[in-house]
Amino acid sequence: MVAPLDAEDGHRPDYPPKTPPPPKRPVEPPRPEGETGVSVAVRPRLTARIANRRSANWTLENAPWTPAKAARHVVGKLAEWGYRLDAGKEAGITEVTVLLTRAALTDGGRRISLHLADQDHQALILLLSHQNGHAPEDEDLLREVTGRGVVSCGTDTDHEDGGHRRWALTDLCG
């Protein structure tokens, strides 16, 4: 048997050198190039942030009985919080809640959100309709709500999250 020659003696190693075999499966599957054609539409939700005060909220369906149900929720929660409303004040809060709820339901959709908060003997009633698109002008609604003796009221549309807000601030004293 002949002994292998060293490189110094003129022996060349096998050329090209042996390479290890490729892995059986890739570590990470290849990423798709561009759009794959399948996309899921995600509609962002309109949120309300009420901080540093008592608050409650309800999700209500779009049904004919929803305005009355919303008013019962508001009056019941205010009574639970210890507010003793006379008949006139309770009727005014009920009418305001019904007006705001009806307006939110006219935007369409399957549900609305009712938010209630109190601070310094005032109550904030806020309705979110969660519907994208252009909001109808609510000037007539604001005139009606203002006529019910609220401290302040307004409407706005959140263009980033989509949805319409209607709110009223009412005084709970006298």
Side-chain angles (χ1 to χ4, degrees), residues 99-118:
L99 287 171
L100 293 174
T101 305
R102 282 186 186 147
L105 291 173
T106 60
D107 288 344
R110 296 184 326 189
R111 65 180 176 82
I112 61 170
S113 297
L114 167 65
H115 299 264
L116 175 68
D118 78 323

Side-chain angles (χ1 to χ4, degrees), residues 28-38:
E28 181 179 326
R31 297 183 184 244
E33 306 255 344
E35 289 293 319
T36 60
V38 178

Side-chain angles (χ1 to χ4, degrees), residues 32-118:
E33 306 255 344
E35 289 293 319
T36 60
V38 178
S39 63
V40 177
V42 177
R43 187 172 74 192
R45 292 186 175 200
L46 185 64
T47 59
R49 185 169 181 268
I50 300 173
N52 301 327
R53 59 191 52 92
R54 285 186 293 197
S55 64
N57 59 27
W58 301 269
T59 301
L60 303 168
E61 62 184 325
N62 191 344
W65 56 82
T66 299
K69 186 175 183 179
R72 284 193 305 272
H73 281 309
V74 169
V75 170
K77 185 55 79 172
L78 290 174
E80 185 180 312
W81 287 342
Y83 291 105
R84 303 293 172 236
L85 305 174
D86 61 5
K89 184 56 78 174
E90 186 175 321
I93 290 172
T94 298
E95 290 174 8
V96 166
T97 305
V98 166
L99 287 171
L100 293 174
T101 305
R102 282 186 186 147
L105 291 173
T106 60
D107 288 344
R110 296 184 326 189
R111 65 180 176 82
I112 61 170
S113 297
L114 167 65
H115 299 264
L116 175 68
D118 78 323

Side-chain angles (χ1 to χ4, degrees), residues 125-155:
I125 303 166
L126 171 70
L127 275 295
L128 303 173
S129 67
H130 305 284
Q131 290 301 306
N132 290 328
H134 182 66
E137 291 297 322
D138 287 330
E139 290 181 22
D140 294 335
L141 169 70
L142 295 179
R143 276 190 219 101
E144 278 189 75
V145 170
T146 304
R148 302 300 193 270
V150 298
V151 175
S152 179
C153 62
T155 64

